[in-house]
Amino acid sequence: MKAVLDTHVVLWSQRDSQLLSRTAQTILADLDTELLLSSVVPWELSVKERTGKLPQARPLLADFAQVRSNLGSVALPIADEHALLAGSLDWPHKDPFDRMLAAQAILAGAALVSADPTFDTLTGLARIW
């Protein structure tokens, strides 16, 4: 199984794993699951930390490579294909970070691990929580 991690899943996994659902905790611990960590995650954390919306992200940003290693995840860079799909998704949700995560999960053939039910309205995307 492949799974793309939403930003809050990464944050909670490093700061307060009790906020994660039991299913999310199981997926993060399953060595047979290929965890994909999008470049969107440090981008979103950086923006929200800088604007004061997420000051608790600062320690994660200080050594994001260690966060990726702690999770045993694989980097998922943003490619042209991701950008094209994110921009063209027939989905009213406007958040660019969410649109990119959804596009990346769809193109990777992966589920998206997220507590956000907004993703459930997007055809072709499987959300796990």
Side-chain angles (χ1 to χ4, degrees):
M1 168 182 187
K2 287 184 188 178
V4 173
L5 305 178
D6 199 347
T7 303
H8 64 273
V9 172
V10 174
L11 180 65
W12 295 350
S13 74
Q14 301 302 297
R15 303 219 8 114
D16 188 359
S17 63
Q18 292 183 7
L19 294 172
L20 297 169
S21 70
R22 189 174 304 272
T23 301
Q25 290 175 22
T26 299
I27 288 169
L28 291 174
D30 183 359
L31 298 177
D32 291 329
T33 299
E34 182 180 0
L35 299 176
L36 304 174
L37 188 50
S38 172
S39 298
V40 168
V41 172
W43 174 26
E44 183 174 14
L45 289 173
S46 296
V47 168
K48 291 184 177 178
E49 190 278 329
R50 179 185 54 80
T51 60
K53 293 180 183 177
L54 205 56
Q56 63 270 38
R58 183 169 292 174
L60 278 70
L61 295 168
D63 191 0
F64 199 77
Q66 186 60 52
V67 171
R68 187 181 317 282
S69 177
N70 290 347
L71 289 166
S73 61
V74 175
L76 180 57
I78 297 170
D80 291 348
E81 298 81 28
H82 300 135
L84 290 166
L85 180 57
S88 66
L89 286 170
D90 185 17
W91 187 38
H93 191 57
K94 294 180 181 175
D95 182 293
F97 302 118
D98 288 350
R99 291 181 71 85
M100 182 58 72
L101 286 170
Q104 288 184 301
I106 290 167
L107 289 173
L112 179 66
V113 181
S114 177
D116 189 348
T118 301
F119 290 106
D120 295 342
T121 63
L122 182 57
T123 302
L125 178 68
R127 179 181 70 96
I128 297 174
W129 187 245

